[in-house]
Amino acid sequence: MKQPLSLIAAALLALINPAQAEEKILNLYSARHYQTDEALYANFTQQTGIKINRIEGKEDELLERIKNEGSNSPADIFLTVDAARLAKAHELGIFANVTSKVLDSRLPAHLRTEDWFSFSTRARVIVYNKTGVKAEDVQNYEDLANPKLKGKLCSRSGSHPYNLSLMASIIAHQGEAKAEELARGMVANFARTPKGGDTDQIKAVAAGECGVALSNTYYVARMLRSTKPEEQKAMEKIGVIWPNQSTTGTHINVSGGGMLKTAPHKEAAVKFLEYLASDAAQRYFADGNNEWPAVDGIKVSNPALDSLGKFKADKLPVKNLAMYQTKAQMIFDRAGFK
């Protein structure tokens, strides 16, 4: 049976130029679980006509899935939060090197590597109870080890990537001995066994269960924007410190991603990564999820972030945070920071 010439021509065209057939679909594996990202993705589809098929899950589950799928993986892009998790993906060898003048020109060098890119940042700040702790006593991360804070420090687990990345930055700047001294001092100051997430630490500080804790800024901003009376009242009781302003600057972590080596829609994947560095996408990160843009000079409209004021950020390259993750975990283990 003869095929119509139009069908034969279409088939030949697809063979000659497969990129045209592929670029209208993007398969995204994401460990970001923020409802506000819906608008971020919808805007990309509206701009490009590329439909996003999204699978969400925990980082380890998605990485295991990608590894098991191997060369048959449908995933084009892997997105997650925390430099250590992005570095883990790199170490598994799933990311492809991406050459893009757009990404190189828009993203600062310390926020990108050859195969994964940071698209938003968050700072790890000190929150303190205004009636239980003096602001001048908690100006630096190192102050959290001061004996005057004995019985006043709350924290999430030492094995959590947010704390590991912070300790990795301390190792990078000050060496292992100083980092271990800090870890042991923090353990000695615990008000309770580490538990819960950053929001739990903020609420515990407000309730007076402890006097001081660490938190990523987007949790603070989320509480500041809350319409719940109890959370509004809680935020009236705490102060926020940008640590280490006279030295290295406040520790910064990131959210980011990269293109997979086995990506079936590589052209669409690069377009998506470049889109995440666009002005519109950068504003979504800030206004929608209380993160800071990775691109310099983006004007955002987020009263909660504005209320926290300006600060000096640590410019340590994000790949260095990953470099010292294992040592950070070993230090926490030796210090008894569970």
Side-chain angles (χ1 to χ4, degrees):
M1 180 176 175
K2 288 188 175 181
Q3 296 291 335
L5 287 175
S6 58
L7 289 179
I8 295 172
L12 288 172
L13 183 61
L15 288 171
I16 294 168
N17 194 359
Q20 286 186 352
E22 74 167 39
E23 66 180 12
K24 293 302 179 184
I25 294 175
L26 179 81
N27 296 323
L28 171 65
Y29 282 19
S30 176
R32 282 179 60 94
H33 308 296
Y34 310 122
Q35 289 184 348
T36 50
D37 284 354
E38 294 287 346
L40 180 72
Y41 303 142
N43 187 55
F44 172 73
T45 299
Q46 186 177 4
Q47 283 188 19
T48 64
I50 298 171
K51 178 187 175 184
I52 296 179
N53 299 318
R54 187 163 88 253
I55 291 179
E56 292 189 345
K58 293 182 178 180
E59 292 82 5
D60 291 341
E61 293 172 355
L62 291 176
L63 288 175
E64 185 67 21
R65 178 171 179 158
I66 291 169
K67 188 166 68 172
N68 291 337
E69 290 170 342
S71 60
N72 295 319
S73 177
D76 295 304
I77 295 286
F78 174 64
L79 289 182
T80 190
V81 296
D82 189 81
R85 290 164 169 161
L86 286 159
K88 183 178 180 180
H90 165 81
E91 288 165 7
L92 289 172
I94 69 168
F95 285 145
N97 285 8
V98 174
T99 302
S100 166
K101 291 181 179 179
V102 172
L103 295 173
D104 288 350
S105 64
R106 290 185 64 79
L107 297 174
H110 70 284
L111 293 180
R112 54 183 163 84
T113 71
E114 67 281 357
D115 62 5
W116 61 266
F117 306 87
S118 307
F119 296 107
S120 64
T121 66
R122 59 280 297 273
R124 197 135 187 85
V125 294
I126 294 173
V127 296
Y128 68 98
N129 185 295
K130 292 177 181 177
T131 59
V133 172
K134 295 178 180 177
E136 56 265 31
D137 290 337
V138 285
Q139 291 296 305
N140 304 289
Y141 296 117
E142 294 80 4
D143 294 335
L144 299 178
N146 193 316
K148 70 170 61 178
L149 294 180
K150 189 172 182 63
K152 294 185 176 182
L153 177 63
C154 279
S155 177
R156 72 190 304 162
S157 169
S159 63
H160 193 278
Y162 297 164
N163 282 340
L164 287 173
S165 289
L166 171 61
M167 186 54 66
S169 74
I170 301 294
I171 296 171
H173 286 305
Q174 301 182 38
E176 292 182 55
K178 287 290 186 182
E180 185 157 346
E181 184 180 326
L182 171 59
R184 292 186 180 279
M186 290 175 71
V187 170
N189 287 340
F190 281 159
R192 65 182 188 189
T193 302
K195 64 178 182 178
D198 284 8
T199 301
D200 298 305
Q201 314 313 318
I202 296 171
K203 290 180 177 179
V205 170
E209 185 177 346
C210 42
V212 63
L214 289 164
S215 175
N216 278 356
T217 39
Y218 66 92
Y219 292 105
V220 176
R222 191 181 297 168
M223 290 278 285
L224 287 170
R225 297 177 76 172
S226 175
T227 57
K228 297 178 181 178
E230 66 272 19
E231 293 187 348
Q232 292 175 346
K233 185 176 287 188
M235 295 309 288
E236 292 173 2
K237 298 177 180 178
I238 72 163
V240 180
I241 298 292
W242 297 110
N244 297 69
Q245 290 301 281
S246 61
T247 56
T248 56
T250 298
H251 167 64
I252 292 295
N253 209 326
V254 301
S255 177
M259 179 179 74
L260 272 65
K261 286 179 179 176
T262 55
H265 310 105
K266 288 183 169 59
E267 185 176 338
V270 173
K271 281 184 180 180
F272 182 71
L273 292 175
E274 292 177 344
Y275 161 75
L276 292 181
S278 69
D279 286 8
Q282 290 289 294
R283 281 193 288 269
Y284 274 118
F285 286 121
D287 299 340
N289 198 50
N290 306 305
E291 300 169 270
W292 276 282
V295 176
D296 292 331
I298 301 295
K299 188 174 181 180
V300 300
S301 178
N302 188 319
L305 291 181
D306 291 343
S307 71
L308 294 176
K310 302 292 184 182
F311 69 102
K312 173 185 172 183
D314 188 356
K315 294 296 180 71
L316 186 72
V318 285
K319 62 175 130 184
N320 288 25
L321 297 178
M323 189 186 306
Y324 296 107
Q325 287 286 314
T326 302
K327 288 183 178 179
Q329 186 65 74
M330 292 171 64
I331 285 172
F332 277 145
D333 290 345
R334 290 197 298 268
F337 196 144
K338 303 299 184 183

